PDB file of all heavy atoms in Angstrom:
ATOM      1  N   VAL Y 174     127.263 114.525 109.089  1.00 97.00           N
ATOM      2  CA  VAL Y 174     126.270 115.515 108.671  1.00 97.00           C
ATOM      3  C   VAL Y 174     126.728 116.897 109.107  1.00 97.00           C
ATOM      4  O   VAL Y 174     127.090 117.095 110.269  1.00 97.00           O
ATOM      5  CB  VAL Y 174     124.886 115.205 109.273  1.00 97.00           C
ATOM      6  CG1 VAL Y 174     123.852 116.204 108.775  1.00 97.00           C
ATOM      7  CG2 VAL Y 174     124.450 113.780 108.929  1.00 97.00           C
ATOM      8  N   ALA Y 175     126.703 117.838 108.179  1.00 97.00           N
ATOM      9  CA  ALA Y 175     127.090 119.215 108.478  1.00 97.00           C
ATOM     10  C   ALA Y 175     126.016 120.156 107.965  1.00 97.00           C
ATOM     11  O   ALA Y 175     125.485 119.980 106.866  1.00 97.00           O
ATOM     12  CB  ALA Y 175     128.434 119.538 107.832  1.00 97.00           C
ATOM     13  N   SER Y 176     125.692 121.173 108.771  1.00 97.00           N
ATOM     14  CA  SER Y 176     124.712 122.183 108.392  1.00 97.00           C
ATOM     15  C   SER Y 176     125.407 123.367 107.743  1.00 97.00           C
ATOM     16  O   SER Y 176     126.511 123.756 108.148  1.00 97.00           O
ATOM     17  CB  SER Y 176     123.920 122.649 109.621  1.00 97.00           C
ATOM     18  OG  SER Y 176     123.088 123.749 109.300  1.00 97.00           O
ATOM     19  N   SER Y 177     124.749 123.950 106.747  1.00 97.00           N
ATOM     20  CA  SER Y 177     125.333 125.108 106.059  1.00 97.00           C
ATOM     21  C   SER Y 177     125.297 126.371 106.913  1.00 97.00           C
ATOM     22  O   SER Y 177     125.958 127.351 106.587  1.00 97.00           O
ATOM     23  CB  SER Y 177     124.599 125.360 104.735  1.00 97.00           C
ATOM     24  OG  SER Y 177     123.227 125.632 104.973  1.00 97.00           O
ATOM     25  N   THR Y 178     124.508 126.371 107.982  1.00 97.00           N
ATOM     26  CA  THR Y 178     124.465 127.498 108.913  1.00 97.00           C
ATOM     27  C   THR Y 178     124.529 126.951 110.339  1.00 97.00           C
ATOM     28  O   THR Y 178     124.151 125.804 110.586  1.00 97.00           O
ATOM     29  CB  THR Y 178     123.170 128.330 108.767  1.00 97.00           C
ATOM     30  OG1 THR Y 178     122.084 127.609 109.343  1.00 97.00           O
ATOM     31  CG2 THR Y 178     122.881 128.631 107.304  1.00 97.00           C
ATOM     32  N   PRO Y 179     124.981 127.784 111.304  1.00 97.00           N
ATOM     33  CA  PRO Y 179     125.017 127.315 112.703  1.00 97.00           C
ATOM     34  C   PRO Y 179     123.656 127.314 113.371  1.00 97.00           C
ATOM     35  O   PRO Y 179     123.558 127.019 114.564  1.00 97.00           O
ATOM     36  CB  PRO Y 179     125.966 128.327 113.366  1.00 97.00           C
ATOM     37  CG  PRO Y 179     125.804 129.575 112.565  1.00 97.00           C
ATOM     38  CD  PRO Y 179     125.576 129.128 111.151  1.00 97.00           C
ATOM     39  N   ASP Y 180     122.591 127.602 112.630  1.00 97.00           N
ATOM     40  CA  ASP Y 180     121.252 127.668 113.218  1.00 97.00           C
ATOM     41  C   ASP Y 180     120.659 126.295 113.489  1.00 97.00           C
ATOM     42  O   ASP Y 180     119.606 126.198 114.133  1.00 97.00           O
ATOM     43  CB  ASP Y 180     120.323 128.454 112.290  1.00 97.00           C
ATOM     44  CG  ASP Y 180     120.802 129.878 112.075  1.00 97.00           C
ATOM     45  OD1 ASP Y 180     120.606 130.700 112.977  1.00 97.00           O
ATOM     46  OD2 ASP Y 180     121.386 130.145 111.006  1.00 97.00           O
ATOM     47  N   PHE Y 181     121.291 125.235 112.960  1.00 98.00           N
ATOM     48  CA  PHE Y 181     120.794 123.875 113.181  1.00 98.00           C
ATOM     49  C   PHE Y 181     121.941 122.981 113.627  1.00 98.00           C
ATOM     50  O   PHE Y 181     123.091 123.147 113.188  1.00 98.00           O
ATOM     51  CB  PHE Y 181     120.193 123.295 111.897  1.00 98.00           C
ATOM     52  CG  PHE Y 181     118.953 123.998 111.421  1.00 98.00           C
ATOM     53  CD1 PHE Y 181     119.043 125.063 110.536  1.00 98.00           C
ATOM     54  CD2 PHE Y 181     117.701 123.608 111.860  1.00 98.00           C
ATOM     55  CE1 PHE Y 181     117.909 125.720 110.096  1.00 98.00           C
ATOM     56  CE2 PHE Y 181     116.561 124.255 111.425  1.00 98.00           C
ATOM     57  CZ  PHE Y 181     116.657 125.316 110.550  1.00 98.00           C
ATOM     58  N   THR Y 182     121.620 122.006 114.468  1.00 97.00           N
ATOM     59  CA  THR Y 182     122.573 120.968 114.846  1.00 97.00           C
ATOM     60  C   THR Y 182     122.022 119.626 114.370  1.00 97.00           C
ATOM     61  O   THR Y 182     120.800 119.453 114.236  1.00 97.00           O
ATOM     62  CB  THR Y 182     122.782 120.919 116.369  1.00 97.00           C
ATOM     63  OG1 THR Y 182     121.529 120.672 117.019  1.00 97.00           O
ATOM     64  CG2 THR Y 182     123.370 122.235 116.870  1.00 97.00           C
ATOM     65  N   ALA Y 183     122.913 118.678 114.117  1.00 97.00           N
ATOM     66  CA  ALA Y 183     122.503 117.361 113.629  1.00 97.00           C
ATOM     67  C   ALA Y 183     123.292 116.276 114.348  1.00 97.00           C
ATOM     68  O   ALA Y 183     124.505 116.412 114.566  1.00 97.00           O
ATOM     69  CB  ALA Y 183     122.714 117.265 112.124  1.00 97.00           C
ATOM     70  N   LYS Y 184     122.604 115.213 114.710  1.00 97.00           N
ATOM     71  CA  LYS Y 184     123.212 114.075 115.386  1.00 97.00           C
ATOM     72  C   LYS Y 184     122.769 112.803 114.686  1.00 97.00           C
ATOM     73  O   LYS Y 184     121.603 112.661 114.307  1.00 97.00           O
ATOM     74  CB  LYS Y 184     122.778 114.062 116.856  1.00 97.00           C
ATOM     75  CG  LYS Y 184     123.306 112.880 117.657  1.00 97.00           C
ATOM     76  CD  LYS Y 184     122.713 112.894 119.059  1.00 97.00           C
ATOM     77  CE  LYS Y 184     123.144 111.666 119.841  1.00 97.00           C
ATOM     78  NZ  LYS Y 184     122.503 111.609 121.182  1.00 97.00           N
ATOM     79  N   VAL Y 185     123.688 111.867 114.521  1.00 97.00           N
ATOM     80  CA  VAL Y 185     123.394 110.622 113.801  1.00 97.00           C
ATOM     81  C   VAL Y 185     123.451 109.442 114.760  1.00 97.00           C
ATOM     82  O   VAL Y 185     124.429 109.272 115.497  1.00 97.00           O
ATOM     83  CB  VAL Y 185     124.382 110.407 112.639  1.00 97.00           C
ATOM     84  CG1 VAL Y 185     124.026 109.131 111.871  1.00 97.00           C
ATOM     85  CG2 VAL Y 185     124.384 111.610 111.700  1.00 97.00           C
ATOM     86  N   ASP Y 186     122.402 108.623 114.740  1.00 96.00           N
ATOM     87  CA  ASP Y 186     122.355 107.391 115.531  1.00 96.00           C
ATOM     88  C   ASP Y 186     121.963 106.229 114.624  1.00 96.00           C
ATOM     89  O   ASP Y 186     121.470 106.423 113.503  1.00 96.00           O
ATOM     90  CB  ASP Y 186     121.327 107.507 116.666  1.00 96.00           C
ATOM     91  CG  ASP Y 186     121.706 108.572 117.679  1.00 96.00           C
ATOM     92  OD1 ASP Y 186     122.798 108.471 118.263  1.00 96.00           O
ATOM     93  OD2 ASP Y 186     120.906 109.520 117.870  1.00 96.00           O
ATOM     94  N   ALA Y 187     122.184 105.016 115.133  1.00 94.00           N
ATOM     95  CA  ALA Y 187     121.768 103.820 114.390  1.00 94.00           C
ATOM     96  C   ALA Y 187     120.246 103.766 114.337  1.00 94.00           C
ATOM     97  O   ALA Y 187     119.551 104.140 115.286  1.00 94.00           O
ATOM     98  CB  ALA Y 187     122.324 102.573 115.043  1.00 94.00           C
ATOM     99  N   GLY Y 188     119.717 103.294 113.214  1.00 93.00           N
ATOM    100  CA  GLY Y 188     118.280 103.180 113.052  1.00 93.00           C
ATOM    101  C   GLY Y 188     117.740 101.896 113.653  1.00 93.00           C
ATOM    102  O   GLY Y 188     118.471 101.102 114.262  1.00 93.00           O
ATOM    103  N   SER Y 189     116.458 101.659 113.441  1.00 92.00           N
ATOM    104  CA  SER Y 189     115.803 100.478 114.007  1.00 92.00           C
ATOM    105  C   SER Y 189     115.957  99.241 113.135  1.00 92.00           C
ATOM    106  O   SER Y 189     115.562  98.144 113.526  1.00 92.00           O
ATOM    107  CB  SER Y 189     114.312 100.770 114.212  1.00 92.00           C
ATOM    108  OG  SER Y 189     113.702 101.143 112.978  1.00 92.00           O
ATOM    109  N   ALA Y 190     116.507  99.404 111.942  1.00 92.00           N
ATOM    110  CA  ALA Y 190     116.680  98.275 111.013  1.00 92.00           C
ATOM    111  C   ALA Y 190     118.126  98.250 110.528  1.00 92.00           C
ATOM    112  O   ALA Y 190     118.846  99.256 110.623  1.00 92.00           O
ATOM    113  CB  ALA Y 190     115.715  98.412 109.831  1.00 92.00           C
ATOM    114  N   PRO Y 191     118.592  97.121 110.005  1.00 91.00           N
ATOM    115  CA  PRO Y 191     119.946  97.070 109.458  1.00 91.00           C
ATOM    116  C   PRO Y 191     120.121  98.090 108.320  1.00 91.00           C
ATOM    117  O   PRO Y 191     119.188  98.364 107.581  1.00 91.00           O
ATOM    118  CB  PRO Y 191     120.073  95.631 108.931  1.00 91.00           C
ATOM    119  CG  PRO Y 191     119.046  94.860 109.698  1.00 91.00           C
ATOM    120  CD  PRO Y 191     117.920  95.804 109.957  1.00 91.00           C
ATOM    121  N   ASN Y 192     121.333  98.634 108.234  1.00 93.00           N
ATOM    122  CA  ASN Y 192     121.677  99.609 107.183  1.00 93.00           C
ATOM    123  C   ASN Y 192     120.818 100.867 107.254  1.00 93.00           C
ATOM    124  O   ASN Y 192     120.574 101.509 106.227  1.00 93.00           O
ATOM    125  CB  ASN Y 192     121.553  98.979 105.789  1.00 93.00           C
ATOM    126  CG  ASN Y 192     122.329  97.693 105.648  1.00 93.00           C
ATOM    127  OD1 ASN Y 192     123.538  97.677 105.859  1.00 93.00           O
ATOM    128  ND2 ASN Y 192     121.641  96.607 105.322  1.00 93.00           N
ATOM    129  N   GLU Y 193     120.375 101.223 108.456  1.00 96.00           N
ATOM    130  CA  GLU Y 193     119.522 102.395 108.622  1.00 96.00           C
ATOM    131  C   GLU Y 193     120.132 103.337 109.657  1.00 96.00           C
ATOM    132  O   GLU Y 193     120.713 102.906 110.646  1.00 96.00           O
ATOM    133  CB  GLU Y 193     118.119 101.967 109.066  1.00 96.00           C
ATOM    134  CG  GLU Y 193     117.101 103.085 109.093  1.00 96.00           C
ATOM    135  CD  GLU Y 193     115.717 102.579 109.454  1.00 96.00           C
ATOM    136  OE1 GLU Y 193     115.027 102.052 108.552  1.00 96.00           O
ATOM    137  OE2 GLU Y 193     115.334 102.684 110.636  1.00 96.00           O
ATOM    138  N   PHE Y 194     119.988 104.650 109.407  1.00 97.00           N
ATOM    139  CA  PHE Y 194     120.492 105.677 110.308  1.00 97.00           C
ATOM    140  C   PHE Y 194     119.373 106.674 110.602  1.00 97.00           C
ATOM    141  O   PHE Y 194     118.530 106.934 109.746  1.00 97.00           O
ATOM    142  CB  PHE Y 194     121.684 106.422 109.682  1.00 97.00           C
ATOM    143  CG  PHE Y 194     122.853 105.534 109.352  1.00 97.00           C
ATOM    144  CD1 PHE Y 194     122.935 104.890 108.128  1.00 97.00           C
ATOM    145  CD2 PHE Y 194     123.880 105.344 110.267  1.00 97.00           C
ATOM    146  CE1 PHE Y 194     124.007 104.080 107.813  1.00 97.00           C
ATOM    147  CE2 PHE Y 194     124.963 104.521 109.979  1.00 97.00           C
ATOM    148  CZ  PHE Y 194     125.025 103.894 108.741  1.00 97.00           C
ATOM    149  N   ARG Y 195     119.427 107.256 111.825  1.00 97.00           N
ATOM    150  CA  ARG Y 195     118.492 108.308 112.221  1.00 97.00           C
ATOM    151  C   ARG Y 195     119.270 109.610 112.388  1.00 97.00           C
ATOM    152  O   ARG Y 195     120.171 109.692 113.226  1.00 97.00           O
ATOM    153  CB  ARG Y 195     117.794 107.943 113.532  1.00 97.00           C
ATOM    154  CG  ARG Y 195     116.721 106.892 113.397  1.00 97.00           C
ATOM    155  CD  ARG Y 195     116.293 106.354 114.756  1.00 97.00           C
ATOM    156  NE  ARG Y 195     115.959 107.432 115.688  1.00 97.00           N
ATOM    157  CZ  ARG Y 195     114.733 107.939 115.823  1.00 97.00           C
ATOM    158  NH1 ARG Y 195     113.736 107.474 115.068  1.00 97.00           N
ATOM    159  NH2 ARG Y 195     114.491 108.892 116.696  1.00 97.00           N
ATOM    160  N   ILE Y 196     118.923 110.590 111.570  1.00 98.00           N
ATOM    161  CA  ILE Y 196     119.571 111.902 111.656  1.00 98.00           C
ATOM    162  C   ILE Y 196     118.628 112.828 112.418  1.00 98.00           C
ATOM    163  O   ILE Y 196     117.544 113.165 111.932  1.00 98.00           O
ATOM    164  CB  ILE Y 196     119.873 112.466 110.261  1.00 98.00           C
ATOM    165  CG1 ILE Y 196     120.734 111.476 109.467  1.00 98.00           C
ATOM    166  CG2 ILE Y 196     120.566 113.818 110.361  1.00 98.00           C
ATOM    167  CD1 ILE Y 196     120.914 111.865 108.009  1.00 98.00           C
ATOM    168  N   SER Y 197     119.042 113.212 113.615  1.00 98.00           N
ATOM    169  CA  SER Y 197     118.221 114.070 114.478  1.00 98.00           C
ATOM    170  C   SER Y 197     118.651 115.522 114.261  1.00 98.00           C
ATOM    171  O   SER Y 197     119.802 115.888 114.515  1.00 98.00           O
ATOM    172  CB  SER Y 197     118.411 113.667 115.945  1.00 98.00           C
ATOM    173  OG  SER Y 197     117.685 114.515 116.803  1.00 98.00           O
ATOM    174  N   VAL Y 198     117.711 116.339 113.781  1.00 98.00           N
ATOM    175  CA  VAL Y 198     118.001 117.740 113.439  1.00 98.00           C
ATOM    176  C   VAL Y 198     117.225 118.647 114.390  1.00 98.00           C
ATOM    177  O   VAL Y 198     116.034 118.419 114.641  1.00 98.00           O
ATOM    178  CB  VAL Y 198     117.606 118.053 111.983  1.00 98.00           C
ATOM    179  CG1 VAL Y 198     118.039 119.465 111.602  1.00 98.00           C
ATOM    180  CG2 VAL Y 198     118.204 117.023 111.029  1.00 98.00           C
ATOM    181  N   GLN Y 199     117.911 119.676 114.917  1.00 97.00           N
ATOM    182  CA  GLN Y 199     117.250 120.576 115.866  1.00 97.00           C
ATOM    183  C   GLN Y 199     117.675 122.020 115.600  1.00 97.00           C
ATOM    184  O   GLN Y 199     118.857 122.300 115.427  1.00 97.00           O
ATOM    185  CB  GLN Y 199     117.607 120.201 117.304  1.00 97.00           C
ATOM    186  CG  GLN Y 199     116.871 121.021 118.345  1.00 97.00           C
ATOM    187  CD  GLN Y 199     117.040 120.461 119.748  1.00 97.00           C
ATOM    188  OE1 GLN Y 199     117.684 119.431 119.934  1.00 97.00           O
ATOM    189  NE2 GLN Y 199     116.465 121.117 120.733  1.00 97.00           N
ATOM    190  N   PRO Y 200     116.721 122.938 115.562  1.00 97.00           N
ATOM    191  CA  PRO Y 200     117.066 124.355 115.398  1.00 97.00           C
ATOM    192  C   PRO Y 200     117.484 124.955 116.739  1.00 97.00           C
ATOM    193  O   PRO Y 200     117.081 124.488 117.805  1.00 97.00           O
ATOM    194  CB  PRO Y 200     115.756 124.965 114.901  1.00 97.00           C
ATOM    195  CG  PRO Y 200     114.698 124.105 115.514  1.00 97.00           C
ATOM    196  CD  PRO Y 200     115.261 122.719 115.591  1.00 97.00           C
ATOM    197  N   ARG Y 201     118.276 126.005 116.685  1.00 97.00           N
ATOM    198  CA  ARG Y 201     118.658 126.723 117.907  1.00 97.00           C
ATOM    199  C   ARG Y 201     117.599 127.743 118.315  1.00 97.00           C
ATOM    200  O   ARG Y 201     117.514 128.144 119.465  1.00 97.00           O
ATOM    201  CB  ARG Y 201     120.000 127.418 117.692  1.00 97.00           C
ATOM    202  CG  ARG Y 201     121.152 126.456 117.403  1.00 97.00           C
ATOM    203  CD  ARG Y 201     122.475 127.202 117.326  1.00 97.00           C
ATOM    204  NE  ARG Y 201     123.560 126.334 116.920  1.00 97.00           N
ATOM    205  CZ  ARG Y 201     124.248 125.544 117.761  1.00 97.00           C
ATOM    206  NH1 ARG Y 201     123.936 125.509 119.047  1.00 97.00           N
ATOM    207  NH2 ARG Y 201     125.234 124.796 117.312  1.00 97.00           N
TER     208      ARG Y 201
END
Side-chain angles (χ1 to χ4, degrees):
V174 183
S176 172
S177 61
T178 74
D180 299 283
F181 294 91
T182 59
K184 178 185 176 184
V185 182
D186 296 302
S189 58
N192 307 302
E193 188 176 279
F194 300 88
R195 285 167 51 91
I196 304 172
S197 177
V198 186
Q199 185 169 358
R201 298 185 186 276

